[in-house]
mmCIF file with all atom_site columns, all heavy atoms in Angstrom:
data_model
loop_
_atom_site.group_PDB
_atom_site.id
_atom_site.type_symbol
_atom_site.label_atom_id
_atom_site.label_alt_id
_atom_site.label_comp_id
_atom_site.label_asym_id
_atom_site.label_entity_id
_atom_site.label_seq_id
_atom_site.pdbx_PDB_ins_code
_atom_site.Cartn_x
_atom_site.Cartn_y
_atom_site.Cartn_z
_atom_site.occupancy
_atom_site.B_iso_or_equiv
_atom_site.pdbx_formal_charge
_atom_site.auth_seq_id
_atom_site.auth_comp_id
_atom_site.auth_asym_id
_atom_site.auth_atom_id
_atom_site.pdbx_PDB_model_num
ATOM 1   N N   . THR A 1 1  ? -12.325 -2.282 -9.572  1.00 0.00 ? 1  THR A N   1
ATOM 2   C CA  . THR A 1 1  ? -11.138 -2.698 -8.835  1.00 0.00 ? 1  THR A CA  1
ATOM 3   C C   . THR A 1 1  ? -11.133 -2.080 -7.430  1.00 0.00 ? 1  THR A C   1
ATOM 4   O O   . THR A 1 1  ? -11.694 -1.005 -7.206  1.00 0.00 ? 1  THR A O   1
ATOM 5   C CB  . THR A 1 1  ? -9.853  -2.279 -9.570  1.00 0.00 ? 1  THR A CB  1
ATOM 6   O OG1 . THR A 1 1  ? -9.864  -0.846 -9.747  1.00 0.00 ? 1  THR A OG1 1
ATOM 7   C CG2 . THR A 1 1  ? -9.778  -2.951 -10.928 1.00 0.00 ? 1  THR A CG2 1
ATOM 8   N N   . LEU A 1 2  ? -10.507 -2.774 -6.492  1.00 0.00 ? 2  LEU A N   1
ATOM 9   C CA  . LEU A 1 2  ? -10.429 -2.291 -5.120  1.00 0.00 ? 2  LEU A CA  1
ATOM 10  C C   . LEU A 1 2  ? -9.320  -1.257 -5.009  1.00 0.00 ? 2  LEU A C   1
ATOM 11  O O   . LEU A 1 2  ? -8.151  -1.543 -5.283  1.00 0.00 ? 2  LEU A O   1
ATOM 12  C CB  . LEU A 1 2  ? -10.165 -3.454 -4.163  1.00 0.00 ? 2  LEU A CB  1
ATOM 13  C CG  . LEU A 1 2  ? -10.191 -3.122 -2.669  1.00 0.00 ? 2  LEU A CG  1
ATOM 14  C CD1 . LEU A 1 2  ? -11.567 -2.628 -2.254  1.00 0.00 ? 2  LEU A CD1 1
ATOM 15  C CD2 . LEU A 1 2  ? -9.793  -4.338 -1.845  1.00 0.00 ? 2  LEU A CD2 1
ATOM 16  N N   . GLY A 1 3  ? -9.670  -0.035 -4.611  1.00 0.00 ? 3  GLY A N   1
ATOM 17  C CA  . GLY A 1 3  ? -8.698  1.045  -4.499  1.00 0.00 ? 3  GLY A CA  1
ATOM 18  C C   . GLY A 1 3  ? -8.168  1.199  -3.087  1.00 0.00 ? 3  GLY A C   1
ATOM 19  O O   . GLY A 1 3  ? -8.560  0.465  -2.170  1.00 0.00 ? 3  GLY A O   1
ATOM 20  N N   . PRO A 1 4  ? -7.270  2.157  -2.868  1.00 0.00 ? 4  PRO A N   1
ATOM 21  C CA  . PRO A 1 4  ? -6.706  2.388  -1.532  1.00 0.00 ? 4  PRO A CA  1
ATOM 22  C C   . PRO A 1 4  ? -7.763  2.912  -0.566  1.00 0.00 ? 4  PRO A C   1
ATOM 23  O O   . PRO A 1 4  ? -8.548  3.800  -0.905  1.00 0.00 ? 4  PRO A O   1
ATOM 24  C CB  . PRO A 1 4  ? -5.612  3.436  -1.782  1.00 0.00 ? 4  PRO A CB  1
ATOM 25  C CG  . PRO A 1 4  ? -6.033  4.132  -3.042  1.00 0.00 ? 4  PRO A CG  1
ATOM 26  C CD  . PRO A 1 4  ? -6.722  3.104  -3.870  1.00 0.00 ? 4  PRO A CD  1
ATOM 27  N N   . ALA A 1 5  ? -7.784  2.353  0.630   1.00 0.00 ? 5  ALA A N   1
ATOM 28  C CA  . ALA A 1 5  ? -8.772  2.755  1.633   1.00 0.00 ? 5  ALA A CA  1
ATOM 29  C C   . ALA A 1 5  ? -8.471  4.156  2.154   1.00 0.00 ? 5  ALA A C   1
ATOM 30  O O   . ALA A 1 5  ? -7.348  4.666  2.058   1.00 0.00 ? 5  ALA A O   1
ATOM 31  C CB  . ALA A 1 5  ? -8.779  1.755  2.783   1.00 0.00 ? 5  ALA A CB  1
ATOM 32  N N   . VAL A 1 6  ? -9.525  4.776  2.724   1.00 0.00 ? 6  VAL A N   1
ATOM 33  C CA  . VAL A 1 6  ? -9.418  6.115  3.286   1.00 0.00 ? 6  VAL A CA  1
ATOM 34  C C   . VAL A 1 6  ? -10.047 6.106  4.673   1.00 0.00 ? 6  VAL A C   1
ATOM 35  O O   . VAL A 1 6  ? -11.095 5.476  4.893   1.00 0.00 ? 6  VAL A O   1
ATOM 36  C CB  . VAL A 1 6  ? -10.141 7.162  2.401   1.00 0.00 ? 6  VAL A CB  1
ATOM 37  C CG1 . VAL A 1 6  ? -10.098 8.545  3.047   1.00 0.00 ? 6  VAL A CG1 1
ATOM 38  C CG2 . VAL A 1 6  ? -9.507  7.211  1.013   1.00 0.00 ? 6  VAL A CG2 1
ATOM 39  N N   . ALA A 1 7  ? -9.417  6.778  5.621   1.00 0.00 ? 7  ALA A N   1
ATOM 40  C CA  . ALA A 1 7  ? -9.974  6.944  6.971   1.00 0.00 ? 7  ALA A CA  1
ATOM 41  C C   . ALA A 1 7  ? -10.127 8.433  7.245   1.00 0.00 ? 7  ALA A C   1
ATOM 42  O O   . ALA A 1 7  ? -9.235  9.234  6.924   1.00 0.00 ? 7  ALA A O   1
ATOM 43  C CB  . ALA A 1 7  ? -9.079  6.289  8.012   1.00 0.00 ? 7  ALA A CB  1
ATOM 44  N N   . THR A 1 8  ? -11.253 8.817  7.825   1.00 0.00 ? 8  THR A N   1
ATOM 45  C CA  . THR A 1 8  ? -11.520 10.230 8.114   1.00 0.00 ? 8  THR A CA  1
ATOM 46  C C   . THR A 1 8  ? -11.973 10.378 9.563   1.00 0.00 ? 8  THR A C   1
ATOM 47  O O   . THR A 1 8  ? -12.403 9.421  10.198  1.00 0.00 ? 8  THR A O   1
ATOM 48  C CB  . THR A 1 8  ? -12.627 10.784 7.194   1.00 0.00 ? 8  THR A CB  1
ATOM 49  O OG1 . THR A 1 8  ? -13.870 10.130 7.506   1.00 0.00 ? 8  THR A OG1 1
ATOM 50  C CG2 . THR A 1 8  ? -12.290 10.549 5.735   1.00 0.00 ? 8  THR A CG2 1
ATOM 51  N N   . ASP A 1 9  ? -11.875 11.608 10.063  1.00 0.00 ? 9  ASP A N   1
ATOM 52  C CA  . ASP A 1 9  ? -12.339 11.890 11.423  1.00 0.00 ? 9  ASP A CA  1
ATOM 53  C C   . ASP A 1 9  ? -12.527 13.387 11.573  1.00 0.00 ? 9  ASP A C   1
ATOM 54  O O   . ASP A 1 9  ? -11.922 14.195 10.843  1.00 0.00 ? 9  ASP A O   1
ATOM 55  C CB  . ASP A 1 9  ? -11.343 11.376 12.459  1.00 0.00 ? 9  ASP A CB  1
ATOM 56  C CG  . ASP A 1 9  ? -11.904 11.447 13.872  1.00 0.00 ? 9  ASP A CG  1
ATOM 57  O OD1 . ASP A 1 9  ? -13.079 11.075 14.050  1.00 0.00 ? 9  ASP A OD1 1
ATOM 58  O OD2 . ASP A 1 9  ? -11.184 11.894 14.786  1.00 0.00 ? 9  ASP A OD2 1
ATOM 59  N N   . ALA A 1 10 ? -13.381 13.757 12.523  1.00 0.00 ? 10 ALA A N   1
ATOM 60  C CA  . ALA A 1 10 ? -13.589 15.169 12.877  1.00 0.00 ? 10 ALA A CA  1
ATOM 61  C C   . ALA A 1 10 ? -13.691 15.265 14.388  1.00 0.00 ? 10 ALA A C   1
ATOM 62  O O   . ALA A 1 10 ? -14.171 14.339 15.054  1.00 0.00 ? 10 ALA A O   1
ATOM 63  C CB  . ALA A 1 10 ? -14.853 15.713 12.214  1.00 0.00 ? 10 ALA A CB  1
ATOM 64  N N   . SER A 1 11 ? -13.209 16.364 14.928  1.00 0.00 ? 11 SER A N   1
ATOM 65  C CA  . SER A 1 11 ? -13.277 16.597 16.376  1.00 0.00 ? 11 SER A CA  1
ATOM 66  C C   . SER A 1 11 ? -14.007 17.910 16.632  1.00 0.00 ? 11 SER A C   1
ATOM 67  O O   . SER A 1 11 ? -13.913 18.855 15.840  1.00 0.00 ? 11 SER A O   1
ATOM 68  C CB  . SER A 1 11 ? -11.878 16.632 16.983  1.00 0.00 ? 11 SER A CB  1
ATOM 69  O OG  . SER A 1 11 ? -11.156 17.743 16.482  1.00 0.00 ? 11 SER A OG  1
ATOM 70  N N   . ARG A 1 12 ? -14.701 17.960 17.751  1.00 0.00 ? 12 ARG A N   1
ATOM 71  C CA  . ARG A 1 12 ? -15.459 19.173 18.081  1.00 0.00 ? 12 ARG A CA  1
ATOM 72  C C   . ARG A 1 12 ? -15.371 19.403 19.585  1.00 0.00 ? 12 ARG A C   1
ATOM 73  O O   . ARG A 1 12 ? -15.893 18.629 20.382  1.00 0.00 ? 12 ARG A O   1
ATOM 74  C CB  . ARG A 1 12 ? -16.918 19.019 17.664  1.00 0.00 ? 12 ARG A CB  1
ATOM 75  C CG  . ARG A 1 12 ? -17.779 20.256 17.902  1.00 0.00 ? 12 ARG A CG  1
ATOM 76  C CD  . ARG A 1 12 ? -19.165 20.018 17.319  1.00 0.00 ? 12 ARG A CD  1
ATOM 77  N NE  . ARG A 1 12 ? -20.036 21.172 17.517  1.00 0.00 ? 12 ARG A NE  1
ATOM 78  C CZ  . ARG A 1 12 ? -20.805 21.351 18.576  1.00 0.00 ? 12 ARG A CZ  1
ATOM 79  N NH1 . ARG A 1 12 ? -20.819 20.453 19.567  1.00 0.00 ? 12 ARG A NH1 1
ATOM 80  N NH2 . ARG A 1 12 ? -21.573 22.429 18.673  1.00 0.00 ? 12 ARG A NH2 1
ATOM 81  N N   . SER A 1 13 ? -14.660 20.440 19.956  1.00 0.00 ? 13 SER A N   1
ATOM 82  C CA  . SER A 1 13 ? -14.520 20.804 21.365  1.00 0.00 ? 13 SER A CA  1
ATOM 83  C C   . SER A 1 13 ? -14.299 22.308 21.463  1.00 0.00 ? 13 SER A C   1
ATOM 84  O O   . SER A 1 13 ? -14.103 22.996 20.453  1.00 0.00 ? 13 SER A O   1
ATOM 85  C CB  . SER A 1 13 ? -13.357 20.041 22.012  1.00 0.00 ? 13 SER A CB  1
ATOM 86  O OG  . SER A 1 13 ? -12.132 20.409 21.418  1.00 0.00 ? 13 SER A OG  1
ATOM 87  N N   . ARG A 1 14 ? -14.304 22.827 22.674  1.00 0.00 ? 14 ARG A N   1
ATOM 88  C CA  . ARG A 1 14 ? -14.085 24.257 22.857  1.00 0.00 ? 14 ARG A CA  1
ATOM 89  C C   . ARG A 1 14 ? -12.685 24.679 22.442  1.00 0.00 ? 14 ARG A C   1
ATOM 90  O O   . ARG A 1 14 ? -12.465 25.757 21.912  1.00 0.00 ? 14 ARG A O   1
ATOM 91  C CB  . ARG A 1 14 ? -14.331 24.632 24.306  1.00 0.00 ? 14 ARG A CB  1
ATOM 92  C CG  . ARG A 1 14 ? -15.794 24.519 24.746  1.00 0.00 ? 14 ARG A CG  1
ATOM 93  C CD  . ARG A 1 14 ? -15.957 24.981 26.177  1.00 0.00 ? 14 ARG A CD  1
ATOM 94  N NE  . ARG A 1 14 ? -17.359 24.925 26.592  1.00 0.00 ? 14 ARG A NE  1
ATOM 95  C CZ  . ARG A 1 14 ? -17.778 25.265 27.803  1.00 0.00 ? 14 ARG A CZ  1
ATOM 96  N NH1 . ARG A 1 14 ? -16.905 25.695 28.724  1.00 0.00 ? 14 ARG A NH1 1
ATOM 97  N NH2 . ARG A 1 14 ? -19.063 25.189 28.110  1.00 0.00 ? 14 ARG A NH2 1
ATOM 98  N N   . SER A 1 15 ? -11.733 23.818 22.692  1.00 0.00 ? 15 SER A N   1
ATOM 99  C CA  . SER A 1 15 ? -10.340 24.169 22.409  1.00 0.00 ? 15 SER A CA  1
ATOM 100 C C   . SER A 1 15 ? -9.941  23.928 20.960  1.00 0.00 ? 15 SER A C   1
ATOM 101 O O   . SER A 1 15 ? -9.088  24.646 20.422  1.00 0.00 ? 15 SER A O   1
ATOM 102 C CB  . SER A 1 15 ? -9.413  23.376 23.335  1.00 0.00 ? 15 SER A CB  1
ATOM 103 O OG  . SER A 1 15 ? -9.606  21.975 23.135  1.00 0.00 ? 15 SER A OG  1
ATOM 104 N N   . HIS A 1 16 ? -10.553 22.906 20.326  1.00 0.00 ? 16 HIS A N   1
ATOM 105 C CA  . HIS A 1 16 ? -10.109 22.560 18.964  1.00 0.00 ? 16 HIS A CA  1
ATOM 106 C C   . HIS A 1 16 ? -11.252 21.879 18.214  1.00 0.00 ? 16 HIS A C   1
ATOM 107 O O   . HIS A 1 16 ? -11.792 20.874 18.668  1.00 0.00 ? 16 HIS A O   1
ATOM 108 C CB  . HIS A 1 16 ? -8.899  21.622 19.023  1.00 0.00 ? 16 HIS A CB  1
ATOM 109 C CG  . HIS A 1 16 ? -8.347  21.289 17.660  1.00 0.00 ? 16 HIS A CG  1
ATOM 110 N ND1 . HIS A 1 16 ? -7.352  22.033 17.070  1.00 0.00 ? 16 HIS A ND1 1
ATOM 111 C CD2 . HIS A 1 16 ? -8.658  20.311 16.780  1.00 0.00 ? 16 HIS A CD2 1
ATOM 112 C CE1 . HIS A 1 16 ? -7.060  21.517 15.894  1.00 0.00 ? 16 HIS A CE1 1
ATOM 113 N NE2 . HIS A 1 16 ? -7.842  20.463 15.691  1.00 0.00 ? 16 HIS A NE2 1
ATOM 114 N N   . THR A 1 17 ? -11.614 22.433 17.060  1.00 0.00 ? 17 THR A N   1
ATOM 115 C CA  . THR A 1 17 ? -12.592 21.807 16.164  1.00 0.00 ? 17 THR A CA  1
ATOM 116 C C   . THR A 1 17 ? -11.949 21.678 14.797  1.00 0.00 ? 17 THR A C   1
ATOM 117 O O   . THR A 1 17 ? -11.649 22.690 14.150  1.00 0.00 ? 17 THR A O   1
ATOM 118 C CB  . THR A 1 17 ? -13.877 22.645 16.062  1.00 0.00 ? 17 THR A CB  1
ATOM 119 O OG1 . THR A 1 17 ? -14.450 22.787 17.364  1.00 0.00 ? 17 THR A OG1 1
ATOM 120 C CG2 . THR A 1 17 ? -14.886 21.966 15.145  1.00 0.00 ? 17 THR A CG2 1
ATOM 121 N N   . GLY A 1 18 ? -11.690 20.459 14.387  1.00 0.00 ? 18 GLY A N   1
ATOM 122 C CA  . GLY A 1 18 ? -10.987 20.258 13.126  1.00 0.00 ? 18 GLY A CA  1
ATOM 123 C C   . GLY A 1 18 ? -11.353 18.938 12.487  1.00 0.00 ? 18 GLY A C   1
ATOM 124 O O   . GLY A 1 18 ? -12.160 18.158 12.998  1.00 0.00 ? 18 GLY A O   1
ATOM 125 N N   . GLY A 1 19 ? -10.761 18.692 11.351  1.00 0.00 ? 19 GLY A N   1
ATOM 126 C CA  . GLY A 1 19 ? -10.994 17.453 10.609  1.00 0.00 ? 19 GLY A CA  1
ATOM 127 C C   . GLY A 1 19 ? -9.722  16.995 9.945   1.00 0.00 ? 19 GLY A C   1
ATOM 128 O O   . GLY A 1 19 ? -8.755  17.760 9.810   1.00 0.00 ? 19 GLY A O   1
ATOM 129 N N   . GLY A 1 20 ? -9.733  15.738 9.531   1.00 0.00 ? 20 GLY A N   1
ATOM 130 C CA  . GLY A 1 20 ? -8.558  15.195 8.859   1.00 0.00 ? 20 GLY A CA  1
ATOM 131 C C   . GLY A 1 20 ? -8.879  13.883 8.175   1.00 0.00 ? 20 GLY A C   1
ATOM 132 O O   . GLY A 1 20 ? -9.879  13.231 8.475   1.00 0.00 ? 20 GLY A O   1
ATOM 133 N N   . TRP A 1 21 ? -8.028  13.519 7.237   1.00 0.00 ? 21 TRP A N   1
ATOM 134 C CA  . TRP A 1 21 ? -8.178  12.251 6.525   1.00 0.00 ? 21 TRP A CA  1
ATOM 135 C C   . TRP A 1 21 ? -6.818  11.786 6.038   1.00 0.00 ? 21 TRP A C   1
ATOM 136 O O   . TRP A 1 21 ? -5.881  12.579 5.915   1.00 0.00 ? 21 TRP A O   1
ATOM 137 C CB  . TRP A 1 21 ? -9.123  12.405 5.319   1.00 0.00 ? 21 TRP A CB  1
ATOM 138 C CG  . TRP A 1 21 ? -8.644  13.407 4.298   1.00 0.00 ? 21 TRP A CG  1
ATOM 139 C CD1 . TRP A 1 21 ? -8.926  14.730 4.247   1.00 0.00 ? 21 TRP A CD1 1
ATOM 140 C CD2 . TRP A 1 21 ? -7.749  13.160 3.189   1.00 0.00 ? 21 TRP A CD2 1
ATOM 141 N NE1 . TRP A 1 21 ? -8.299  15.327 3.194   1.00 0.00 ? 21 TRP A NE1 1
ATOM 142 C CE2 . TRP A 1 21 ? -7.570  14.382 2.521   1.00 0.00 ? 21 TRP A CE2 1
ATOM 143 C CE3 . TRP A 1 21 ? -7.096  12.031 2.696   1.00 0.00 ? 21 TRP A CE3 1
ATOM 144 C CZ2 . TRP A 1 21 ? -6.762  14.505 1.394   1.00 0.00 ? 21 TRP A CZ2 1
ATOM 145 C CZ3 . TRP A 1 21 ? -6.291  12.144 1.570   1.00 0.00 ? 21 TRP A CZ3 1
ATOM 146 C CH2 . TRP A 1 21 ? -6.130  13.364 0.922   1.00 0.00 ? 21 TRP A CH2 1
ATOM 147 N N   . PHE A 1 22 ? -6.719  10.506 5.786   1.00 0.00 ? 22 PHE A N   1
ATOM 148 C CA  . PHE A 1 22 ? -5.516  9.980  5.133   1.00 0.00 ? 22 PHE A CA  1
ATOM 149 C C   . PHE A 1 22 ? -5.910  8.811  4.252   1.00 0.00 ? 22 PHE A C   1
ATOM 150 O O   . PHE A 1 22 ? -6.896  8.108  4.510   1.00 0.00 ? 22 PHE A O   1
ATOM 151 C CB  . PHE A 1 22 ? -4.460  9.562  6.158   1.00 0.00 ? 22 PHE A CB  1
ATOM 152 C CG  . PHE A 1 22 ? -4.736  8.253  6.824   1.00 0.00 ? 22 PHE A CG  1
ATOM 153 C CD1 . PHE A 1 22 ? -4.222  7.065  6.319   1.00 0.00 ? 22 PHE A CD1 1
ATOM 154 C CD2 . PHE A 1 22 ? -5.515  8.198  7.976   1.00 0.00 ? 22 PHE A CD2 1
ATOM 155 C CE1 . PHE A 1 22 ? -4.483  5.858  6.927   1.00 0.00 ? 22 PHE A CE1 1
ATOM 156 C CE2 . PHE A 1 22 ? -5.780  6.997  8.596   1.00 0.00 ? 22 PHE A CE2 1
ATOM 157 C CZ  . PHE A 1 22 ? -5.255  5.815  8.069   1.00 0.00 ? 22 PHE A CZ  1
ATOM 158 N N   . SER A 1 23 ? -5.161  8.624  3.189   1.00 0.00 ? 23 SER A N   1
ATOM 159 C CA  . SER A 1 23 ? -5.378  7.531  2.253   1.00 0.00 ? 23 SER A CA  1
ATOM 160 C C   . SER A 1 23 ? -4.241  6.526  2.376   1.00 0.00 ? 23 SER A C   1
ATOM 161 O O   . SER A 1 23 ? -3.105  6.897  2.706   1.00 0.00 ? 23 SER A O   1
ATOM 162 C CB  . SER A 1 23 ? -5.449  8.058  0.813   1.00 0.00 ? 23 SER A CB  1
ATOM 163 O OG  . SER A 1 23 ? -5.433  6.989  -0.120  1.00 0.00 ? 23 SER A OG  1
ATOM 164 N N   . PHE A 1 24 ? -4.544  5.255  2.115   1.00 0.00 ? 24 PHE A N   1
ATOM 165 C CA  . PHE A 1 24 ? -3.520  4.220  2.193   1.00 0.00 ? 24 PHE A CA  1
ATOM 166 C C   . PHE A 1 24 ? -2.496  4.355  1.071   1.00 0.00 ? 24 PHE A C   1
ATOM 167 O O   . PHE A 1 24 ? -1.496  3.634  1.063   1.00 0.00 ? 24 PHE A O   1
ATOM 168 C CB  . PHE A 1 24 ? -4.178  2.840  2.145   1.00 0.00 ? 24 PHE A CB  1
ATOM 169 C CG  . PHE A 1 24 ? -4.701  2.386  3.483   1.00 0.00 ? 24 PHE A CG  1
ATOM 170 C CD1 . PHE A 1 24 ? -5.413  3.261  4.296   1.00 0.00 ? 24 PHE A CD1 1
ATOM 171 C CD2 . PHE A 1 24 ? -4.485  1.098  3.937   1.00 0.00 ? 24 PHE A CD2 1
ATOM 172 C CE1 . PHE A 1 24 ? -5.901  2.862  5.519   1.00 0.00 ? 24 PHE A CE1 1
ATOM 173 C CE2 . PHE A 1 24 ? -4.964  0.680  5.165   1.00 0.00 ? 24 PHE A CE2 1
ATOM 174 C CZ  . PHE A 1 24 ? -5.673  1.562  5.967   1.00 0.00 ? 24 PHE A CZ  1
ATOM 175 N N   . CYS A 1 25 ? -2.747  5.274  0.129   1.00 0.00 ? 25 CYS A N   1
ATOM 176 C CA  . CYS A 1 25 ? -1.738  5.529  -0.904  1.00 0.00 ? 25 CYS A CA  1
ATOM 177 C C   . CYS A 1 25 ? -0.630  6.447  -0.380  1.00 0.00 ? 25 CYS A C   1
ATOM 178 O O   . CYS A 1 25 ? 0.377   6.648  -1.051  1.00 0.00 ? 25 CYS A O   1
ATOM 179 C CB  . CYS A 1 25 ? -2.383  6.135  -2.147  1.00 0.00 ? 25 CYS A CB  1
ATOM 180 S SG  . CYS A 1 25 ? -2.971  7.828  -1.917  1.00 0.00 ? 25 CYS A SG  1
ATOM 181 N N   . GLY A 1 26 ? -0.828  7.049  0.809   1.00 0.00 ? 26 GLY A N   1
ATOM 182 C CA  . GLY A 1 26 ? 0.211   7.865  1.431   1.00 0.00 ? 26 GLY A CA  1
ATOM 183 C C   . GLY A 1 26 ? -0.152  9.329  1.594   1.00 0.00 ? 26 GLY A C   1
ATOM 184 O O   . GLY A 1 26 ? 0.513   10.051 2.335   1.00 0.00 ? 26 GLY A O   1
ATOM 185 N N   . LEU A 1 27 ? -1.207  9.811  0.930   1.00 0.00 ? 27 LEU A N   1
ATOM 186 C CA  . LEU A 1 27 ? -1.584  11.215 1.040   1.00 0.00 ? 27 LEU A CA  1
ATOM 187 C C   . LEU A 1 27 ? -2.457  11.442 2.273   1.00 0.00 ? 27 LEU A C   1
ATOM 188 O O   . LEU A 1 27 ? -3.201  10.553 2.690   1.00 0.00 ? 27 LEU A O   1
ATOM 189 C CB  . LEU A 1 27 ? -2.337  11.660 -0.208  1.00 0.00 ? 27 LEU A CB  1
ATOM 190 C CG  . LEU A 1 27 ? -1.548  11.611 -1.531  1.00 0.00 ? 27 LEU A CG  1
ATOM 191 C CD1 . LEU A 1 27 ? -2.421  12.036 -2.687  1.00 0.00 ? 27 LEU A CD1 1
ATOM 192 C CD2 . LEU A 1 27 ? -0.311  12.491 -1.446  1.00 0.00 ? 27 LEU A CD2 1
ATOM 193 N N   . TYR A 1 28 ? -2.357  12.626 2.849   1.00 0.00 ? 28 TYR A N   1
ATOM 194 C CA  . TYR A 1 28 ? -3.194  12.974 3.996   1.00 0.00 ? 28 TYR A CA  1
ATOM 195 C C   . TYR A 1 28 ? -3.348  14.482 4.072   1.00 0.00 ? 28 TYR A C   1
ATOM 196 O O   . TYR A 1 28 ? -2.619  15.242 3.431   1.00 0.00 ? 28 TYR A O   1
ATOM 197 C CB  . TYR A 1 28 ? -2.576  12.438 5.301   1.00 0.00 ? 28 TYR A CB  1
ATOM 198 C CG  . TYR A 1 28 ? -1.285  13.119 5.712   1.00 0.00 ? 28 TYR A CG  1
ATOM 199 C CD1 . TYR A 1 28 ? -1.289  14.200 6.601   1.00 0.00 ? 28 TYR A CD1 1
ATOM 200 C CD2 . TYR A 1 28 ? -0.047  12.677 5.227   1.00 0.00 ? 28 TYR A CD2 1
ATOM 201 C CE1 . TYR A 1 28 ? -0.114  14.825 6.990   1.00 0.00 ? 28 TYR A CE1 1
ATOM 202 C CE2 . TYR A 1 28 ? 1.129   13.286 5.601   1.00 0.00 ? 28 TYR A CE2 1
ATOM 203 C CZ  . TYR A 1 28 ? 1.096   14.362 6.489   1.00 0.00 ? 28 TYR A CZ  1
ATOM 204 O OH  . TYR A 1 28 ? 2.267   14.979 6.863   1.00 0.00 ? 28 TYR A OH  1
ATOM 205 N N   . ASP A 1 29 ? -4.308  14.926 4.900   1.00 0.00 ? 29 ASP A N   1
ATOM 206 C CA  . ASP A 1 29 ? -4.542  16.355 5.078   1.00 0.00 ? 29 ASP A CA  1
ATOM 207 C C   . ASP A 1 29 ? -5.298  16.560 6.387   1.00 0.00 ? 29 ASP A C   1
ATOM 208 O O   . ASP A 1 29 ? -5.965  15.649 6.888   1.00 0.00 ? 29 ASP A O   1
ATOM 209 C CB  . ASP A 1 29 ? -5.349  16.922 3.905   1.00 0.00 ? 29 ASP A CB  1
ATOM 210 C CG  . ASP A 1 29 ? -5.325  18.448 3.881   1.00 0.00 ? 29 ASP A CG  1
ATOM 211 O OD1 . ASP A 1 29 ? -4.503  19.028 4.627   1.00 0.00 ? 29 ASP A OD1 1
ATOM 212 O OD2 . ASP A 1 29 ? -6.119  19.048 3.137   1.00 0.00 ? 29 ASP A OD2 1
ATOM 213 N N   . PHE A 1 30 ? -5.212  17.758 6.950   1.00 0.00 ? 30 PHE A N   1
ATOM 214 C CA  . PHE A 1 30 ? -5.960  18.111 8.155   1.00 0.00 ? 30 PHE A CA  1
ATOM 215 C C   . PHE A 1 30 ? -6.141  19.618 8.184   1.00 0.00 ? 30 PHE A C   1
ATOM 216 O O   . PHE A 1 30 ? -5.416  20.363 7.522   1.00 0.00 ? 30 PHE A O   1
ATOM 217 C CB  . PHE A 1 30 ? -5.237  17.610 9.417   1.00 0.00 ? 30 PHE A CB  1
ATOM 218 C CG  . PHE A 1 30 ? -3.861  18.179 9.609   1.00 0.00 ? 30 PHE A CG  1
ATOM 219 C CD1 . PHE A 1 30 ? -3.651  19.262 10.468  1.00 0.00 ? 30 PHE A CD1 1
ATOM 220 C CD2 . PHE A 1 30 ? -2.765  17.648 8.929   1.00 0.00 ? 30 PHE A CD2 1
ATOM 221 C CE1 . PHE A 1 30 ? -2.390  19.795 10.645  1.00 0.00 ? 30 PHE A CE1 1
ATOM 222 C CE2 . PHE A 1 30 ? -1.498  18.181 9.102   1.00 0.00 ? 30 PHE A CE2 1
ATOM 223 C CZ  . PHE A 1 30 ? -1.302  19.246 9.958   1.00 0.00 ? 30 PHE A CZ  1
ATOM 224 N N   . TRP A 1 31 ? -7.116  20.100 8.974   1.00 0.00 ? 31 TRP A N   1
ATOM 225 C CA  . TRP A 1 31 ? -7.452  21.517 8.988   1.00 0.00 ? 31 TRP A CA  1
ATOM 226 C C   . TRP A 1 31 ? -8.200  21.850 10.281  1.00 0.00 ? 31 TRP A C   1
ATOM 227 O O   . TRP A 1 31 ? -8.620  20.957 11.033  1.00 0.00 ? 31 TRP A O   1
ATOM 228 C CB  . TRP A 1 31 ? -8.336  21.865 7.779   1.00 0.00 ? 31 TRP A CB  1
ATOM 229 C CG  . TRP A 1 31 ? -9.603  21.070 7.734   1.00 0.00 ? 31 TRP A CG  1
ATOM 230 C CD1 . TRP A 1 31 ? -10.802 21.388 8.286   1.00 0.00 ? 31 TRP A CD1 1
ATOM 231 C CD2 . TRP A 1 31 ? -9.768  19.785 7.125   1.00 0.00 ? 31 TRP A CD2 1
ATOM 232 N NE1 . TRP A 1 31 ? -11.717 20.402 8.052   1.00 0.00 ? 31 TRP A NE1 1
ATOM 233 C CE2 . TRP A 1 31 ? -11.106 19.401 7.338   1.00 0.00 ? 31 TRP A CE2 1
ATOM 234 C CE3 . TRP A 1 31 ? -8.918  18.936 6.408   1.00 0.00 ? 31 TRP A CE3 1
ATOM 235 C CZ2 . TRP A 1 31 ? -11.617 18.196 6.867   1.00 0.00 ? 31 TRP A CZ2 1
ATOM 236 C CZ3 . TRP A 1 31 ? -9.432  17.740 5.944   1.00 0.00 ? 31 TRP A CZ3 1
ATOM 237 C CH2 . TRP A 1 31 ? -10.759 17.380 6.172   1.00 0.00 ? 31 TRP A CH2 1
#
């Protein structure tokens, strides 16, 4: 079965290096 999609990303710079994701079910996180 087709489940909820997920999108992710990461950034890398001198000022901020982090990552994050969110799901179409409503949950998300970042760090």
Side-chain angles (χ1 to χ4, degrees):
T1 58
L2 186 62
V6 176
T8 66
D9 189 44
S11 65
R12 183 174 180 270
S13 64
R14 292 183 178 179
S15 59
H16 183 91
T17 301
W21 60 269
F22 77 92
S23 170
F24 278 45
C25 70
L27 297 178
Y28 68 94
D29 194 12
F30 60 98
W31 58 90

